Structure formats: C-alpha cells, structure tokens
Amino acid sequence: MKPAHILFLMLLLAAAIPAAAQKGLAVGALFDGRYRDIPDARETIISGGQLKKHKLSTYRSITLTDADNESADAIERAVRRDGADALSREVQFRDGRLFYGFYRLRRHNDLNRYIFFLNQLAAGGNKVILIYLEGSASPEQVKKMLKQ
C-alpha cells in the first residue's frame, strides 16, 4: 500500500472516532459539514494532544457570525433535544429563546460529555456558538477552559 493511501486511511479513521462519540445526539448531526462552506461560519474539530491539559479528548464547535434565525433555531432545537436528557443543566432564556445553555450529558465510553450553547440572536446580537466536549474533565474544569 502506498504511503499516501495509508495516510488517507489514518485521517479517515481519525475523523470517524470523534464523530462516534456524538452518535445518538441531536447536536452530533450538526457536525456533518453543512456549515463548512458558509462564509460566516467556522467549524472547529480538535482531538488528542492539545486537549490533554484540559482533561479532554474531543472538542467540536460551530460558530455562526451574522447567523440567520433559521440556522439558530435548528441548532437550538438540537441542543434542547439533547439537553432534555442531561444530567445537569444551566440555562438562560431571553424572549422565549434559549440564550445560554451548559449541559452535562450522560457518560459515554467512560467519558464525560458536555454541550455549551450561546445564542446572541436572542439578545440582539449576531452570533451563535455550539461546542461539544468530551473527556474526563469535571464541569468546573470545562467552564474554566471555556472562559479562557
């Protein structure tokens, strides 16, 4: 097998492992690449080394700047669906919309899972942020990392 083929297979496997952690979550479906080609959107996927100091193994985020209500509503619905079964939650609503949410989900493969959501559209802003995190970090450690 050629080195290029081996590298391609390794990259494909590395991309599949973090996605498996979100299997069964509504927010997991949002990381299917639909936002990658939108100019005012940013999708970030980090796994492994950079996260170890935070006791995390997976970090996935979607940030929409100049977000429209349709996109914000789709993300909010997914977050609320997953949040309904969360072990703990901190939420704030503005005008009936979810403005802020921090959810500690049920463990999966012996790892803690978290969702952070911020919908600035609900407060007159223009940005929507969704972050999925996974690892051994406590909720307090995750919040500290997110504040940085």
Side-chain angles (χ1 to χ4, degrees):
M1 192 176 271
K2 294 181 180 179
H5 290 114
I6 293 171
L7 178 61
F8 175 75
L9 288 174
M10 289 174 57
L11 289 172
L12 189 61
L13 179 62
I17 291 170
Q22 296 162 42
K23 186 177 180 182
L25 293 178
V27 297
L30 298 172
F31 292 99
D32 62 0
R34 71 181 80 181
Y35 298 106
R36 288 185 189 145
D37 295 328
I38 298 174
D40 293 327
R42 185 176 66 228
E43 183 173 345
T44 303
I45 301 170
I46 303 171
S47 61
Q50 299 174 13
L51 298 173
K52 286 184 181 181
K53 68 179 179 181
H54 299 290
K55 296 184 179 181
L56 294 170
S57 56
T58 302
Y59 173 99
R60 300 191 90 179
S61 72
I62 296 171
T63 302
L64 304 178
T65 304
D66 293 328
D68 58 47
N69 280 317
E70 183 179 332
S71 297
D73 290 345
I75 295 172
E76 180 180 340
R77 279 192 302 275
V79 168
R80 291 176 80 163
R81 197 171 312 129
D82 291 335
D85 192 39
L87 296 174
S88 66
R89 65 184 61 79
E90 294 175 21
V91 295
Q92 291 180 16
F93 291 89
R94 303 251 170 101
D95 294 327
R97 296 182 76 178
L98 181 61
F99 169 68
Y100 164 84
F102 180 75
Y103 302 89
R104 181 173 153 238
L105 305 175
R106 296 189 183 285
R107 291 172 61 89
H108 179 28
N109 292 335
D110 274 341
L111 296 173
N112 297 323
R113 301 182 303 162
Y114 304 94
I115 295 174
F116 170 80
F117 175 71
L118 181 64
N119 179 5
Q120 293 180 347
L121 268 68
N126 70 339
K127 192 179 285 189
V128 175
I129 301 170
L130 168 66
I131 301 174
Y132 171 85
L133 304 128
E134 183 176 277
S136 63
S138 69
E140 294 75 22
Q141 290 168 318
V142 170
K143 288 179 193 177
K144 182 178 178 182
M145 184 209 70
L146 291 173
K147 286 181 182 178
Q148 293 177 346

